[in-house]
Each structure stands twice: as C-alpha cells, then as structure tokens.
Amino acid sequence: FTLQMEYPKNLICLSNMPSVEETETDKCKVVKFDKTPKMSTYLLAWVIGEFEYIEDKTQRGVVMRIYTSVGNKSKATYALKVAVKCLDFYEKYFSIEYPLPKCDMIALADFAAGAMENWGLITYREVRLICDEDTAALEHKRDIARVICHELAHQWFGNYTTMQWWDNLWLNEGFASFMQYLSGDTVEPELNLWSMFMTREYANAFKLDGMASSHPIEVPVPTAKGADEVFDVISYCKGCCVIVMLQSFLGDEAFAKGLSAYLTRFAYANTVTTDLWQYLSQSSGKDVGKIMQCWTRAQGFPVIQAQIVSKEKGILRLRQSRYLSSGKPSKSEDETVWNVPIVMKVNGELVRILLDEKEKDFSISQLKNA
C-alpha cells in the first residue's frame, strides 16, 4: 500500500511506514508514506492528532517510538524499555529481522480493544502503555509488558506470516498469547509473567473448554463478518495452552527451529495449521500433525489418571477420559482419543511420553529407583 494523507498543519499524521514526501498548503500538510510490504488489508492504519513522543533504537538500529497525548510522554518510558528489549528478543528467537524501518506504538485515549497490531503502527489503549515506573503497581506493569510482547509477536505471527482465513485465527492469537509469556519472562523476569499464564490463560481455557457447549480451536468461518465470533477464550487461551504443551514436549530448540523455518517459508504469505505442523515435524523428528490434530479439531480436553502398576519393573499405567464440568461424560461424549504429550520429572530427569490410546502402560526405568 502507498498512502497519501492531507491533514491540518497543527496535527501529527502517522501510518505503517515512514513519510517520504511532505508538502504544505495554506492550512494543511500533504504527506506521502513509503510503500508497505505485501500485507493484509486489515493491518493498514493511520492516525491523525495531537501527540508527542519518546524514541529509542533496537540493537540493530530499528527506530521505536511511543506517541502519547501531550503531557504524557514521560509516562511511556517503561513501555518503551520493554518494547525495545522485546523486539531484540524476537529477532534472535525467530532468526528473522523485523522487516520495517520503524515501529511506532501509540496510546489512544478512546480505543475499544486493548491493542491492535497494525504493522509498524501499533495502537494501544492508554492504560496499556502509560504508567509511572516508580509508583505503578506490579499488576499494571505486568499488563503493559504482556500486551506489548503480545502485539510485537504479531509483527511475525500475523503480519509477516498471515493465516489463510479466519478459521485459522488461532495461528495469530494463540501464538501471540504464548509468545507474550516466553518473551516477557526473558525481557522482564522480575514480573514473573508465567504465574499469570496459570491464572489467566490456563484457568480460563479449562473453565470454558470443560463445558459441553465449548467448540474446537479450528471452526468453520464462512464469512468475514463471522470472524468476531472466534475472537474468544478458545482461540486465545486454549490456543496458548496447547502451544505451551507442544513446546515442552518438543523442546525449545526444536520448537524455535521449526518456527523459524515456517516463518521463512511463508514470509508475506498465507498459511493453515497443517503448514506449521509440517515444519515443527521436520525440526523435531516427531509427527506433530498426528499429535495435535485432536487438540485443534475436537472440543474439550482429557483428564489423565495415573497408576504405578509395578514399581519394581517401572510400569506406569495412564488412562484418559474427557473432562466435563457438568459431571462424568456419557459414552457418546467420551469418544475422542487425544494424543497427549506428557513431560514429567522423575528423580530429577525429564521423561517424555505420548499417551495415544484410552489406556496404555509405559515402561519407565527411572521409576524403579524413585
């Protein structure tokens, strides 16, 4: 997209890309912005208003600015510090450079959503960027860091590589929700963001997905208008949870390698869930598509019952059944057999197993001396 805007001289005009040409008339300015990369239409953005900003650069020299209403820029220093460190983290983790010359973030006084990941011009509700770093409550700082890390993750998951259609929304939101904790824990470890994962994503996902009225992560979305219905706890929270489970099972090295290959292959292009499974399978040597298909295509989740059948032989028996908050499921409600990746620590040693049947015995040598 190449955008040209005419606006009052006393205001500021921003868009996804830097300006390349500016002219003036008696009362207005005319600005032409540089051409954007190939991207989805929903990411095109512009903002006109009275703003001031603070600025910093990443290690690679990407200019990052936070725009606020006049008089509030000093309260954006904490957000800018988090944002710069987070962008550096993502470039290293994905092994892919942020492709735009700048990344603006702007605090808007009247903004319905928490934030929106427009490429190069991320819009936020004021409370998600502005705080007094010395006096702000821990919870406020956590929310700021979490949302910034979420939106910056979208610059790769969603903007650089985009879902083919809204039925794969979770590829955007589930991954951004996961990456906000992974990156946030690295750039601001004192916030202990993973504790928020347990009380926010994990608890909310289990609460809704334990109901008989829940729905799978991947659901048909016939029209764009229907997309609003899948911006929910299942896409965000359950999507995040299944990714945490998968990353733990594959190991972070194989997981990150697969993500990088996937993003590189589908740069400026559209994907579906099975594309991601293919590249994670290649990096890990495991059949990720087979492991994950029920987790995204079936509603609900299983309860795992464990029994040590023989400690001397190290035999562990696991059984799965669907959990329903309304009570024990009927036979017809408990037909799904999940492939459950399980990571456990026995005598200080990590053990990874896959429960792919309703009931299965595992021989685990570490149990003999546990």
Side-chain angles (χ1 to χ4, degrees):
F1 299 92
T2 302
L3 188 68
Q4 182 171 299
M5 301 288 290
E6 184 176 355
Y7 62 98
K9 282 183 178 181
N10 62 318
L11 303 180
I12 287 177
C13 182
L14 304 170
S15 189
N16 305 77
M17 298 294 286
S19 63
V20 291
E21 184 181 322
E22 292 187 15
T23 57
E24 291 189 13
T25 63
D26 290 341
K27 295 182 179 180
C28 294
K29 283 186 178 181
V30 178
V31 59
K32 183 178 180 181
F33 294 99
D34 204 357
K35 188 176 182 179
T36 71
K38 183 181 179 183
M39 68 181 194
S40 295
T41 55
Y42 73 88
L43 297 172
L44 182 64
W46 59 86
V47 174
I48 299 172
E50 292 185 79
F51 301 103
E52 58 183 11
Y53 68 87
I54 56 174
E55 176 184 309
D56 201 352
K57 292 183 178 180
T58 66
Q59 293 175 1
R60 199 172 53 81
V62 176
V63 177
M64 299 196 75
R65 290 178 176 176
I66 293 185
Y67 287 82
T68 71
S69 54
V70 176
N72 280 319
K73 69 177 183 179
S74 63
K75 297 178 182 177
T77 53
Y78 178 72
L80 184 60
K81 179 179 72 173
V82 171
V84 169
K85 290 192 291 184
C86 183
L87 203 70
D88 283 331
F89 171 85
Y90 284 144
E91 286 196 334
K92 183 177 180 181
Y93 191 80
F94 296 133
S95 300
I96 297 170
E97 293 181 352
Y98 175 76
L100 274 60
K102 60 98 172 176
C103 182
D104 292 336
M105 305 195 299
I106 185 164
L108 300 176
D110 186 14
F111 192 63
M116 175 60 202
E117 66 268 19
N118 317 298
W119 214 355
L121 179 58
I122 308 171
T123 47
Y124 293 81
R125 194 182 301 174
E126 271 193 340
V127 71
R128 300 302 187 212
L129 281 184
I130 291 176
C131 76
D132 185 327
E133 185 174 0
D134 295 328
T135 61
L138 173 63
E139 202 65 25
H140 192 187
K141 286 185 174 180
R142 280 177 164 179
D143 281 340
I144 288 174
R146 179 180 58 80
V147 175
I148 288 173
C149 291
H150 183 104
E151 301 310 320
L152 289 177
H154 275 311
Q155 307 304 295
W156 283 266
F157 270 94
N159 300 3
Y160 188 73
T161 297
T162 308
M163 67 216 167
Q164 183 169 292
W165 187 241
W166 298 105
D167 48 5
N168 283 286
L169 173 71
W170 88 281
L171 286 174
N172 284 19
E173 299 304 343
F175 262 89
S177 296
F178 163 72
M179 293 304 302
Q180 71 189 13
Y181 294 103
L182 185 69
S183 61
D185 189 58
T186 300
V187 302
E188 288 289 281
E190 67 277 7
L191 297 181
N192 191 21
L193 285 180
W194 278 115
S195 65
M196 285 186 72
F197 166 78
M198 294 303 298
T199 58
R200 184 182 172 92
E201 265 62 37
Y202 190 84
N204 287 337
F206 272 39
K207 181 179 180 181
L208 180 57
D209 209 32
M211 299 179 181
S213 57
S214 179
H215 66 81
I217 288 176
E218 294 184 270
V219 292
V221 181
T223 66
K225 188 176 181 180
D228 286 345
E229 297 179 15
V230 291
F231 280 87
D232 65 359
V233 167
I234 296 298
S235 292
Y236 282 77
C237 300
K238 184 181 179 181
C240 173
C241 289
V242 299
I243 295 163
V244 170
M245 176 182 68
L246 181 60
Q247 184 230 17
S248 299
F249 188 66
L250 300 184
D252 190 60
E253 184 178 346
F255 183 78
K257 183 179 178 181
L259 291 188
S260 179
Y262 161 79
L263 290 168
T264 300
R265 166 63 181 82
F266 294 101
Y268 309 107
N270 299 105
T271 69
V272 295
T273 298
T274 50
D275 295 324
L276 178 61
W277 298 158
Q278 176 187 345
Y279 282 87
L280 289 175
S281 295
Q282 291 175 6
S283 66
S284 66
K286 295 180 171 63
D287 189 348
V288 175
K290 182 179 179 181
I291 294 171
M292 297 302 294
Q293 63 177 1
C294 282
W295 292 101
T296 61
R297 297 178 182 176
Q299 71 181 69
F301 60 90
V303 173
I304 309 300
Q305 295 174 299
Q307 177 188 0
I308 297 176
V309 178
S310 172
K311 191 173 185 300
E312 291 180 354
K313 297 180 180 179
I315 304 298
L316 175 68
R317 178 171 297 162
L318 298 179
R319 187 181 188 284
Q320 62 168 290
S321 58
R322 183 182 174 186
Y323 172 81
L324 282 177
S325 56
S326 56
K328 186 176 180 180
S330 65
K331 187 174 181 180
S332 63
E333 291 173 322
D334 193 20
E335 293 179 343
T336 301
V337 178
W338 283 270
N339 290 305
V340 187
I342 296 173
V343 182
M344 53 187 169
K345 186 174 283 189
V346 185
N347 283 346
E349 185 177 346
L350 286 179
V351 178
R352 291 178 168 87
I353 56 177
L354 182 69
L355 175 61
D356 54 2
E357 300 174 11
K358 274 289 187 183
E359 185 175 299
K360 190 173 183 177
D361 288 352
F362 296 88
S363 178
I364 300 173
S365 60
Q366 293 89 341
L367 278 178
K368 298 176 184 178
N369 300 315

